[in-house]
Amino acid sequence: FFLLPTTIFAHELETDNAIGVVLHIDPLDNPKVGEPAKIFFEVKDKDNAFRPEICDCQLIISKGDDVFVTAKIYGSTNQSNFGYTFPEEGIYALKLIGKPIEGSHFDTFEFNFETIVSEPKNKQFILNHWVHIVLFGGAFAVAFGMYFVELYRIRKSKSKIA
């Protein structure tokens, strides 16, 4: 049987009464644009029938109407691992769908997670402080220019005296 999907956030145990799933994203459940992220799910069921090697597990990563990835994921433990680099900032949906392969017995499941992907800190710093950087750089250029103009005037006046 198939249960209604649930939307959940990283590192929260969610269950549909038969299967429990926890989403982990390295680094620190805080993915950054353009930086590799390791996505893995910890899946457990109340009957201990679930094992990744007997699951047709599929991960779908999307943002709005755009689907970025549809991939089968497997693992040697009860954690299914997947590496992904998020291409842009925003809220992404990660859907995990699990169906038992033929001859296996656990309940089919579907869970929807959301994660917020942001710009790396160094880029955020530049974006948040670009006005300060421009003003400071401009002030430095003006001061530097004034110094050389004054230096030129002093040398010119000294050459007239001599």
Side-chain angles (χ1 to χ4, degrees), residues 28-96:
L28 303 170
D29 291 318
N30 192 13
K32 302 292 183 198
V33 173
E35 296 180 2
K38 182 179 173 186
I39 301 166
F40 55 101
F41 298 92
E42 187 174 355
V43 180
K44 296 187 183 218
D45 70 320
K46 63 183 177 185
D47 298 326
N48 289 323
F50 178 84
R51 293 189 321 276
E53 61 270 14
I54 63 169
C55 181
D56 179 10
C57 291
Q58 187 176 54
L59 172 63
I60 301 168
I61 300 175
S62 61
K63 181 180 171 198
D65 293 332
D66 298 327
V67 174
F68 291 93
V69 172
T70 300
K72 290 188 177 199
I73 57 174
Y74 301 99
S76 58
T77 66
N78 67 342
Q79 295 178 348
S80 300
N81 301 306
F82 186 75
Y84 185 68
T85 301
F86 291 91
E88 57 191 40
E89 198 172 25
I91 298 173
Y92 284 79
L94 289 81
K95 181 186 290 188
L96 178 64

Side-chain angles (χ1 to χ4, degrees), residues 69-123:
V69 172
T70 300
K72 290 188 177 199
I73 57 174
Y74 301 99
S76 58
T77 66
N78 67 342
Q79 295 178 348
S80 300
N81 301 306
F82 186 75
Y84 185 68
T85 301
F86 291 91
E88 57 191 40
E89 198 172 25
I91 298 173
Y92 284 79
L94 289 81
K95 181 186 290 188
L96 178 64
I97 302 169
K99 300 174 187 170
I101 60 173
E102 190 174 326
S104 302
H105 303 287
F106 63 85
D107 290 341
T108 297
F109 60 88
E110 178 178 324
F111 288 96
N112 294 301
F113 296 82
E114 287 185 346
T115 190
I116 298 172
V117 177
S118 59
E119 292 289 344
K121 283 188 180 183
N122 59 348
K123 188 170 182 182

